[in-house]
């Protein structure tokens, strides 16, 4: 078989395209690790230091707001307020609070699985209500696996903490849906973090008798806010627009797995065979659903497309 030869100019273009694809892959892996590290840092802070969840949440949101304010300021943009921004900030705050309080009693991988599954199922359900058609077996597998994972047993996470993480996941899913309707995702995320800071300060006041400051815990919170959250979101938004929607949804299946691996390696956490099987069923169901989801085209628009194709 004759090898195709390219001119020097074409070879340079192909090499640049190849390098760019690898850059996207590398940044995608880095972003998924950052999202998994969010769970790890939160669990480490609340398990291994004396910091309380309210302080952790506030420092995470404030450090994230400062980092994002610097990023949008450097790009010449300014934060603003709107009804959508206020709703987004409220959902972000609910997610961050429930996330922190839930990780007082959940292991890293278990928390990430409940968070991810509930957020994805909410977004898939919203898409179905808007006319998207999906894989019902996938939905059934995801819901069934999540029920098995959370069902009372010697190895299941405590129900009260699981419900808190479920709230966090639903809030995160709502935050993601509201963000899709906006303009610049980075500016929208920055607005949300900045507007969530006053809510976090109110949380501090409400929890004033239970506040515990810990230097290492504060460091973990600052890293979770400024690096694995703020910078992680910025890089993810850059990567997401450069891959197919289905790929963007499917690649996030790695986050609970990475979280469980990090928890195993760093915190010596364990995952029972029952929990591992249930988690695999959840991820399989979401993968099937994500790959099968299609947007329903209205009849009038479909007819117009057919007519254009015949002309």
């Amino acid at each position: 078989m004759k090898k195709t030869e390219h001119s020097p100019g074409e070879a340079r273009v192909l090499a640049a395209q190849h390098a760019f694809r690898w850059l996207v892959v590398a940044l995608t892996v880095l972003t998924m690790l950052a999202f998994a590290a969010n769970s790890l840092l939160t669990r480490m802070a609340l398990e291994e230091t004396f910091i309380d969840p309210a302080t952790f949440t506030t420092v995470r949101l404030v450090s994230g707001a400062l980092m994002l304010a610097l990023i949008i300021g450097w790009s010449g943009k300014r934060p603003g307020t709107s009804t959508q921004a206020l709703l987004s900030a409220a959902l972000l705050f609910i997610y961050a609070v429930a996330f922190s309080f839930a990780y007082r009693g959940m292991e890293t991988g278990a928390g990430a699985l409940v968070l991810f599954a509930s957020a994805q199922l909410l977004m898939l359900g919203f898409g179905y209500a808007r006319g998207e058609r999906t894989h019902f077996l996938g939905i059934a597998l995801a819901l069934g696996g999540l029920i098995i994972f959370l069902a009372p047993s010697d190895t299941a996470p405590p129900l009260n903490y699981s419900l808190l993480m479920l709230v966090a996941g639903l809030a995160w899913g709502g935050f993601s849906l509201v963000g899709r309707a906006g303009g610049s995702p980075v500016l929208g995320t920055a607005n949300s973090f900045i507007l969530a800071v006053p809510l976090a300060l109110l949380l501090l006041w409400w929890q004033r008798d239970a506040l515990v400051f810990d230097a290492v815990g504060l460091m973990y919170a600052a890293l979770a806010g400024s690096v694995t959250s703020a910078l992680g979101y910025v890089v993810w938004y850059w990567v997401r627009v450069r891959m197919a929607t289905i790929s963007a949804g499917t690649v996030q299946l790695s986050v609970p797995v990475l979280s469980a691996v990090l928890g195993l390696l760093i915190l010596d956490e364990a995952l029972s065979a029952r929990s591992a099987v249930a988690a695999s069923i959840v991820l399989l169901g979401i993968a099937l659903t994500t790959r099968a989801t299609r947007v329903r085209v209205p009849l009038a628009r479909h007819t117009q497309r057919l007519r254009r194709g015949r002309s």
Side-chain angles (χ1 to χ4, degrees):
M1 184 175 178
K2 188 177 180 180
K3 184 178 180 181
T4 303
E5 295 184 1
H6 300 284
S7 66
E10 290 174 334
R12 284 194 295 271
V13 170
L14 290 172
Q17 291 175 342
H18 184 72
F20 184 77
R21 282 195 294 268
W22 276 109
L23 175 64
V24 172
V25 170
L27 290 177
T28 300
V29 172
L30 187 64
T31 308
M32 295 304 103
L33 283 170
F35 290 166
N38 261 332
S39 292
L40 179 68
L41 287 168
T42 305
R43 179 63 176 160
M44 286 172 65
L46 297 170
E47 175 71 12
E48 298 190 340
T49 79
F50 296 104
I51 195 170
D52 65 283
T55 301
F56 182 92
T57 300
T58 302
V59 173
R60 182 186 178 194
L61 289 174
V62 169
S63 58
L66 289 173
M67 177 63 75
L68 288 165
L70 287 173
I71 291 172
I72 63 171
W74 179 75
S75 64
K77 298 176 181 178
R78 292 185 177 181
T81 58
S82 65
T83 302
Q84 177 180 317
L86 291 172
L87 174 60
S88 184
L91 290 168
L92 175 65
F93 173 73
I94 293 170
Y95 148 74
V97 173
F99 184 80
S100 298
F101 277 84
Y103 262 129
R104 292 181 302 170
M106 294 188 77
E107 294 190 341
T108 308
L113 177 71
V114 176
L115 175 80
F116 172 83
S118 53
Q120 290 293 315
L121 288 171
L122 174 69
M123 290 188 284
L124 289 168
F126 181 82
Y128 181 80
R130 293 286 299 271
E132 295 179 4
R133 289 299 172 260
T134 189
H135 201 300
F136 287 104
L137 175 59
I139 293 287
L141 284 173
L143 287 174
L146 190 59
I147 291 170
I148 294 171
F149 187 82
L150 297 177
S153 72
D154 294 337
T155 58
L159 184 59
N160 55 338
Y161 294 116
S162 298
L163 290 176
L164 273 175
M165 193 60 81
L166 182 67
V167 171
L170 294 175
W172 181 252
F175 173 77
S176 301
L177 289 172
V178 172
R180 286 182 183 178
S184 167
V186 176
L187 179 59
T189 304
N191 287 337
S192 300
F193 267 82
I194 292 168
L195 292 173
V197 169
L199 296 175
L201 296 177
L202 285 175
L203 174 68
L204 276 187
W205 178 82
W206 182 53
Q207 291 281 299
R208 60 190 180 276
D209 295 330
L211 301 182
V212 180
F213 297 96
D214 181 282
V216 177
L218 291 172
M219 180 188 70
Y220 288 155
L223 284 173
S226 60
V227 179
T228 59
S229 291
L231 290 180
Y233 299 157
V234 170
V235 176
W236 171 241
Y237 292 138
W238 185 88
V239 168
R240 191 178 65 183
V241 298
R242 288 163 176 81
M243 63 171 60
T245 302
I246 291 175
S247 298
T250 306
V251 74
Q252 294 179 69
L253 293 171
S254 64
V255 175
V257 178
L258 290 171
S259 299
V261 171
L262 290 175
L264 175 66
L265 295 177
I266 298 175
L267 296 177
D268 199 26
E269 295 176 343
L271 188 66
S272 69
R274 174 182 175 276
S275 296
V277 171
S280 300
I281 293 172
V282 173
L283 297 178
L284 174 61
I286 293 176
L288 288 174
T289 306
T290 303
R291 288 188 171 276
T293 300
R294 296 290 183 271
V295 178
R296 183 176 61 187
V297 179
L299 180 60
R301 191 185 307 171
H302 183 64
T303 303
Q304 291 174 0
R305 288 180 180 176
L306 288 176
R307 288 174 178 173
R308 283 198 297 268
R310 291 173 182 170
S311 60

